[in-house]
Amino acid sequence: MALPRTLLDPKRIYLEPAIRSYERGRAVLARFPDAELVEVASHWKIPELTDDPELAGDWLRMKRDVLVLGVKKGLTMRPNGRSADFIAPSSSNGCAMACSYCYVPRRKGYANPVSVFVNVDEIAAAIGRHAKRLGVKPEPNTIDPVDWVYDLGENGDLSLDATVSDNIRDLVAAFRGIPNGKGSFATKLVNRDLLDYDPQGRTRIRFSLMPEAVSKVVDVRTSPIGERIAAINDFVEAGYEVHVNFSPVIVHEGWEPEWRALFAEIDGTLSDRAKAQLKCEIIMLTHNEALHDTNLAWHPKGEDLLWRPDLQETKWSQSGMRNLRYRSGWKRKWLDQLLAWHGAALPYCEVRYAF
């Protein structure tokens, strides 16, 4: 696995001119003094990154060599109801890792580099105001019994973003001062710098897990599964609430022993303290036709696991995209099997939701 410092080593930085008026923007530019700077009107629509199908064949280099800096315009909170009560305004978009099932590239054309937003103070302040307006959470729910939970990393991986700027340190610090709010993000990267952020129980990290054999094929440029599991104890000791995502669940021939082995490894690795606070989410795979076509240009091997029309059925998205998910009757059967294996091996790990 590439070390965090080599996952992203930008040779070119696309930037909105306004980022220079923010301290965070100037700090990121100073961190990469040798990068070529290219000014753009918007961090979102950059023709060099979105309009050339040939870029799909250069997927990994683009992720390593390109960084985008912008200012987050919309600061609204969107209701969620699964991983969090609300989706907070993102402090980033895109990722230097390259999980071949990731949904973010479906909307970003033929390259998906990291875009970092430099107005993190405005993002944190908007979350604080929103939580203050809500007041005390009226009743427990499956997301959290006490706090309003805000997902901070819907469109990226914050553990990786922390290698670019202090945005994540600032967000973790902000939640220490929001008495009725808790931050949350999923990650596939073990970044031990986060152990020094002093979250004081106000930030939840969700380590994404799947069987190692499958992860080696589809979780490109991520931390090994065993390293993620071993890190849970350390992050709990550092003051984080730590949950796990079993996501996406990829069904294939011979999947049962792989999942049973994964559950056994978790049970054999976690401390009593980590087990006592552990909860999980389970999400079955949904794939996408456009992403499938892109993946064929850079990582066709992963599609042998992800693109299974013999097991899947079409589901059209609201935006008109053709998605594939496991056929409904089979999906229910397979999910029930997985829940049974999970319950037998990890009876202390509450399933917050599964679909």
Side-chain angles (χ1 to χ4, degrees), residues 22 118 143 167 172 204 216 222 240 244 276:
Y22 290 84
V118 300
I143 297 164
N167 276 4
V172 170
R204 174 188 296 168
K216 285 181 177 179
T222 65
Y240 291 94
V244 294

Side-chain angles (χ1 to χ4, degrees), residues 58-349:
D58 213 8
W59 195 254
L60 298 184
R61 185 189 65 80
M62 296 294 294
K63 286 175 169 289
R64 184 188 66 243
D65 292 355
V66 174
L67 175 65
V68 180
L69 299 178
V71 178
K72 180 68 175 178
K73 307 304 190 297
L75 298 179
T76 59
M77 313 291 150
R78 292 188 289 109
N80 179 245
R82 284 181 171 161
S83 291
D85 293 293
F86 299 96
I87 304 297
S90 297
S91 59
S92 68
N93 189 295
C95 187
M97 292 177 277
C99 302
S100 57
Y101 48 81
C102 179
Y103 64 87
V104 177
R106 302 176 193 177
R107 303 192 300 270
K108 293 189 72 175
Y110 298 101
N112 184 32
V114 174
S115 300
V116 169
F117 303 128
V118 300
N119 54 328
V120 68
D121 291 345
E122 297 171 8
I123 293 171
I127 296 171
R129 291 192 298 270
H130 186 267
K132 185 176 181 179
R133 288 195 299 269
L134 289 175
V136 176
K137 195 172 193 175
E139 59 184 11
N141 61 12
T142 59
I143 297 164
D144 194 271
V146 176
D147 294 313
W148 298 107
V149 177
Y150 293 82
D151 193 306
L152 305 175
E154 180 189 31
N155 295 316
D157 191 306
L158 270 58
S159 296
L160 185 282
D161 295 346
T163 69
V164 177
S165 77
D166 287 333
N167 276 4
I168 314 313
R169 183 187 291 273
D170 289 351
L171 288 170
V172 170
F175 275 95
R176 295 199 298 263
I178 303 176
N180 62 333
K182 182 180 292 181
S184 178
F185 63 92
T187 184
K188 300 181 184 73
L189 178 67
V190 178
N191 182 350
R192 292 187 172 273
D193 289 346
L194 274 65
L195 295 172
D196 297 327
Y197 284 12
D198 189 27
Q200 299 179 15
R202 309 309 300 164
T203 296
R204 174 188 296 168
I205 289 182
R206 306 176 337 260
F207 280 103
S208 297
L209 302 176
M210 66 173 62
E212 182 72 34
V214 175
S215 177
K216 285 181 177 179
V217 178
V218 298
D219 275 355
V220 182
R221 308 185 90 216
T222 65
S223 295
I225 295 295
E227 185 178 342
R228 300 182 214 174
I229 295 171
I232 292 173
N233 292 336
D234 294 334
F235 277 79
V236 170
E237 292 301 318
Y240 291 94
E241 183 180 42
V242 183
H243 291 183
V244 294
N245 287 347
F246 298 115
S247 168
V249 176
I250 299 171
V251 177
H252 65 101
E253 293 73 13
W255 72 310
E256 177 176 352
E258 294 178 351
W259 278 95
R260 288 188 181 274
L262 174 64
F263 294 148
E265 182 178 0
I266 295 169
D267 184 59
T269 302
L270 266 55
S271 66
D272 290 342
R273 183 177 177 185
K275 290 178 180 178
Q277 56 86 68
L278 189 67
K279 296 181 182 180
C280 74
E281 307 164 9
I282 300 176
I283 306 171
M284 303 289 284
L285 171 71
T286 296
H287 201 25
N288 172 269
E289 185 175 39
L291 182 59
H292 167 68
D293 292 340
T294 298
N295 287 347
L296 290 176
W298 74 275
H299 187 43
K301 184 178 179 181
E303 293 306 293
D304 293 340
L305 288 166
L306 301 176
W307 189 259
R308 293 290 305 268
D310 56 323
L311 305 180
Q312 297 163 327
E313 62 186 7
T314 295
K315 176 188 177 184
W316 292 99
S317 71
Q318 292 180 344
S319 59
M321 288 186 173
R322 183 191 175 205
N323 296 332
L324 261 66
R325 64 182 180 184
Y326 295 122
R327 297 180 186 179
S328 56
W330 295 355
K331 177 182 177 180
R332 183 69 257 176
K333 176 183 177 181
W334 291 330
L335 181 56
D336 286 344
Q337 287 179 328
L338 186 69
L339 288 168
W341 305 334
H342 171 273
L346 307 174
Y348 46 82
C349 178

